[in-house]
Amino acid sequence: MKPPPFEYVRPVDLDGVLGALAQNGGEATKILAGGQSLVPMMNLRVVAPKRLVDINRVPGLDRIAVEGDRLVIGALARHTDVMASPNVRQHAPLVAAAYQHVAHRPIRNRGTIGGNLAHADPASELPAVMLTLGAEMALRSRNGERRVAAGQFFLGTFETAARADELLTSIHIPLAAGSRRWGFEEVSQRQGDFALVAVAATFAVEDGRCASPHLAYAGVADRAVRIAAAEAALDGQVAAKAAEAVNPPEDIHADAAYRRDLVRALTRRALSAAARR
């Protein structure tokens, strides 16, 4: 299939992008970065934007750098580059671990981290990771920049807090502390597929005890979610509490009971992996 007709705009700088988004409130405009989700959806007529704004020629949106106490990843950074970055491996190893489950090489070569997060697929690994790490999303418009915490950014299936005239320009992740442990576990139908269930876990170790646990899940709701009941129950009952707290969807790939059992099993695995690090 082919998409409906659309206007194609390719700005050469950020001002040009923001200007294009400001036209008509940006309601009929979509951002084209890697296009790995957007183009198939357009071909299937799931979405029909009147204008595509191609940001691939905008400089500076693909940087990966440490700035103060944050790891900053530009929204246009390709998955492959994020996955291979020494800065990411050192300062956000949970991100690097999750990338072992993200798609396949051709898709990772084209797709971008910003496009993934802005797409907000509830079965995607990266939104759950950003929740776990306490990341912030930098959103730019002609009116300036604002930061939105990951917990307030993902609103539902394919829905985020970004306004129609805003561009996600970068992701800001607190640098991993030396005492903080991490683990990531996932089950999917095939390697590289979206998760049936994925679990991202981090916690600190203070005086030999777990402290400040963060547990986030993909595939169990209409968005990536942290489960407070599970985080509060790190006493041997955390996996059961997590399974009780979710009301996962049912589809042709897995029913709710199976996904709930995956939550239970993967929570144990992720925490065990974190404890061994």
Side-chain angles (χ1 to χ4, degrees):
M1 296 181 66
K2 295 182 179 180
F6 58 88
E7 177 188 0
Y8 175 74
V9 182
R10 188 169 64 182
V12 296
D13 57 26
L14 185 56
D15 287 342
V17 173
L18 300 181
L21 292 178
Q23 295 179 30
N24 301 319
E27 293 291 344
T29 300
K30 288 289 186 181
I31 295 293
L32 176 63
Q36 299 304 286
S37 297
L38 176 60
V39 172
M41 292 177 74
M42 290 174 61
N43 288 341
L44 293 171
R45 308 296 177 102
V46 176
V47 296
K50 294 181 179 178
R51 181 189 301 111
L52 283 189
V53 180
D54 186 339
I55 65 172
N56 283 284
R57 289 197 173 185
V58 177
L61 291 182
D62 60 352
R63 75 190 190 283
I64 303 173
V66 175
E67 298 180 3
D69 62 349
R70 295 288 188 272
L71 172 66
V72 179
I73 304 176
L76 198 55
R78 308 292 165 180
H79 293 310
T80 296
D81 295 330
V82 179
M83 186 177 180
S85 168
N87 277 329
V88 172
R89 290 199 299 268
Q90 178 178 354
H91 299 294
L94 181 59
V95 174
Y99 261 115
Q100 301 297 324
H101 301 269
V102 174
H104 306 281
R105 185 178 295 276
I107 292 175
R108 291 196 298 264
N109 287 344
R110 297 180 179 89
T112 65
I113 188 170
N116 177 283
L117 296 173
H119 185 55
D121 192 306
S124 178
E125 297 85 358
L126 295 180
V129 169
M130 296 306 157
L131 280 179
T132 307
L133 295 178
E136 290 184 330
M137 312 299 161
L139 301 172
R140 286 283 300 275
S141 72
R142 277 186 160 180
N143 297 320
E145 180 180 288
R146 66 186 179 114
R147 301 277 181 89
V148 179
Q152 284 73 56
F153 184 74
F154 303 106
L155 302 181
T157 302
F158 309 140
E159 183 183 5
T160 73
R163 296 190 294 261
D165 64 339
E166 289 181 318
L167 174 69
L168 173 61
T169 56
S170 56
I171 301 96
H172 297 247
I173 303 172
L175 301 183
S179 63
R180 200 146 187 93
R181 313 292 179 85
W182 56 271
F184 185 90
E185 296 290 334
E186 174 179 323
V187 167
S188 59
Q189 287 191 300
R190 295 165 298 187
Q191 175 65 34
D193 281 3
F194 281 113
L196 294 177
V197 172
V199 182
T202 68
F203 59 82
V205 177
E206 297 178 1
D207 299 323
R209 299 175 63 86
C210 293
S212 302
H214 294 176
L215 288 165
Y217 297 80
V220 302
D222 66 345
R223 72 198 81 175
V225 292
R226 280 178 60 181
I227 299 180
E231 294 175 349
L234 272 177
D235 58 1
Q237 298 299 313
V238 58
K241 292 289 186 182
E244 292 171 5
V246 299
N247 184 24
E250 298 195 6
D251 54 34
I252 61 173
H253 304 301
D255 61 20
Y258 179 58
R259 281 193 164 94
R260 193 171 290 112
D261 191 56
L262 286 178
V263 167
R264 186 180 297 109
L266 295 180
T267 298
R268 292 194 190 101
R269 294 181 195 174
L271 291 172
S272 296
R276 291 194 296 269
R277 290 190 169 92

